[in-house]
Amino acid sequence: MARKAAGKPPEEILLDWKREQASLKARVVDRDTEAWQRDPAFSGLQRVGGVDVSFVKDDSGSACASLVVLSYPELEVLFVDGNGVLHHRGFGVACHLGVLTDLPCIGVAKKLLQVDGLENNALHKEKIQLLKAGGDSFPLMGGSGTVLGRALRSHDHSTKPLYVSVGHKISLEAAVRLTHSCCKFRIPEPVRQADIRSRDYIRRTQEVQGVPAPPSGRSKEAQRPKACPQGVSEEPAGTSKGTPTGGKACPRF
DNA sequence: CTCGAGTAAAGCGAGTACCT
DNA sequence: AGGTACTCGCTTTACTCGAG
C-alpha cells in the first residue's frame, strides 16, 4: 500500500496522503450534474468506466490500476471498486478519483466498511434479508444521522448486497439505479472486468519476469464477454507507482 | 515504549451452476 | 459430460488499541 516516495519515511507519506484527502474532500459534489442522471433509462449515457487496483505480491510499492471502458446501451461515469463518502474520513478512493478526473464517480464495495456507527450486526443482516429482488436497497445511516450510502441487492440470485456510495458529481439515488442497471452478475460489469484484467495483467507480468505464476485453475482470462454493457475497451494501465487512493501519479486517463 | 489481543479487510479456494 | 465462471465462507494479513 505504500508509495515508494523519494526517501520519505512511511509516516510522512501517510500524513501527506491524509492532507491531500482533506483538501480534495472539499471538492466532492454529491448531487446529479448530468442530464442522463435524471433520466429513468439513463439515455444519453454512452460509456461506463470501471476502476480496480490490484497489488503486486511481495512488492508493496507497486500496483496495477486497471481502467475498463464499456459502452453503455444508449455518460461518462466511473465505477470504482471501493467506497466514496462511505469512508473513515468521508473521502474514499471513489471520491478521490472523481475529484481528480472531474467525472461522475460511484463507489461500489463488496463488504460493509464499518464507520460512523455502521455495523454488520444482526439488525443489518435482517435488513439484508428484506432485500427480496435485484434493485432492492436500503439506506446506510451513520451515527451522525447522515446517509453514507445504500446497500443494494444487485442481482436476483445474489444474497450478498453491494455497498454503493457517492464518489463525485452524482446523487446516491442515481448511483444506486445505475449500479443496478450495470449488474449482469453481482458485481457491476465495469468493476468486474477491471478486476479480472488487473489481476491478469499482474499474473502475466510476473510470468514474463520469471516469477512462477500461481495455479491458474481459477484463471478468469476468458470470462463470458456477454455483459450487458457491450464493447469492452480494455485499458490496462500497467503497474503504476502511486497513491492507492489515486494520487498524483495514479491511473492515466 | 513494547507487546499482545481483538477486529476488520483482503485473499484464496471449494462448491455449485451454467454453457458448450 | 467436461470445462468455465460465480458466490460465499474460511483463512490470512494488517491495523488499532490497551495493558504492562
Side-chain angles (χ1 to χ4, degrees):
Chain A
M1 271 279 215
R3 163 168 52 186
K4 279 177 186 166
K8 282 191 178 180
E11 317 83 66
E12 207 170 306
I13 296 168
L14 204 60
L15 269 175
D16 278 351
W17 291 353
K18 283 182 179 173
R19 275 193 286 267
E20 193 178 336
Q21 271 189 322
S23 92
L24 291 173
K25 186 181 172 182
R27 292 163 54 185
V28 171
V29 176
D30 62 353
R31 55 187 156 73
D32 293 333
T33 60
E34 314 295 329
W36 59 264
Q37 292 166 335
R38 289 179 281 273
D39 187 295
F42 299 114
S43 41
L45 175 60
Q46 294 179 332
R47 287 181 292 278
V48 180
V51 175
D52 183 64
V53 180
S54 295
F55 295 92
V56 179
K57 213 181 171 185
D58 302 325
D59 183 357
S60 61
S62 299
C64 172
S66 176
L67 166 66
V68 171
V69 180
L70 305 179
S71 64
Y72 190 85
E74 270 226 28
L75 166 180
E76 285 73 37
V77 60
L78 279 177
F79 281 98
V80 180
D81 185 4
N83 291 292
V85 296
L86 175 54
H87 184 266
H88 299 97
R89 288 179 287 280
F91 191 80
V93 62
C95 296
H96 207 129
L97 278 174
V99 170
L100 289 179
T101 60
D102 202 34
L103 284 170
C105 219
I106 301 169
V108 180
K110 287 162 270 189
K111 287 182 181 176
L112 176 67
L113 188 60
Q114 307 190 102
V115 294
D116 193 21
L118 289 173
E119 282 185 76
N120 191 13
N121 54 18
L123 178 64
H124 182 77
K125 284 169 183 160
E126 208 173 289
K127 286 182 181 174
I128 291 172
Q129 294 292 318
L130 295 173
L131 303 176
K132 295 297 178 195
D136 289 354
S137 68
F138 64 84
L140 300 166
M141 180 88 75
S144 56
T146 51
V147 176
L148 300 171
R150 290 188 79 90
L152 168 72
R153 179 159 178 163
S154 59
H155 197 273
D156 287 341
H157 304 295
S158 174
T159 54
K160 285 184 76 170
L162 290 174
Y163 298 95
V164 180
S165 56
V166 170
H168 186 50
K169 289 175 81 172
I170 191 164
S171 67
L172 183 58
E173 186 268 336
V176 169
R177 278 195 301 128
L178 183 59
T179 303
H180 178 236
S181 79
C182 288
C183 286
K184 183 178 187 240
F185 302 106
R186 180 181 168 236
I187 311 297
E189 199 56 25
V191 174
R192 201 176 67 90
Q193 290 296 331
D195 182 54
I196 290 166
R197 283 152 209 273
S198 62
R199 282 177 201 274
D200 183 52
Y201 180 86
I202 287 175
R203 190 180 56 80
R204 287 201 316 258
T205 305
Q206 286 186 331
E207 275 175 25
V208 168
Q209 290 170 352
V211 179
S216 57
R218 287 165 46 81
S219 167
K220 297 170 179 175
E221 197 159 12
Q223 291 205 333
R224 291 167 221 184
K226 291 177 283 182
C228 54
Q230 299 114 21
V232 177
S233 152
E234 184 182 0
E235 184 78 22
T239 51
S240 67
K241 314 250 179 187
T243 67
T245 45
K248 292 156 198 149
C250 216
R252 295 148 204 163
F253 297 101

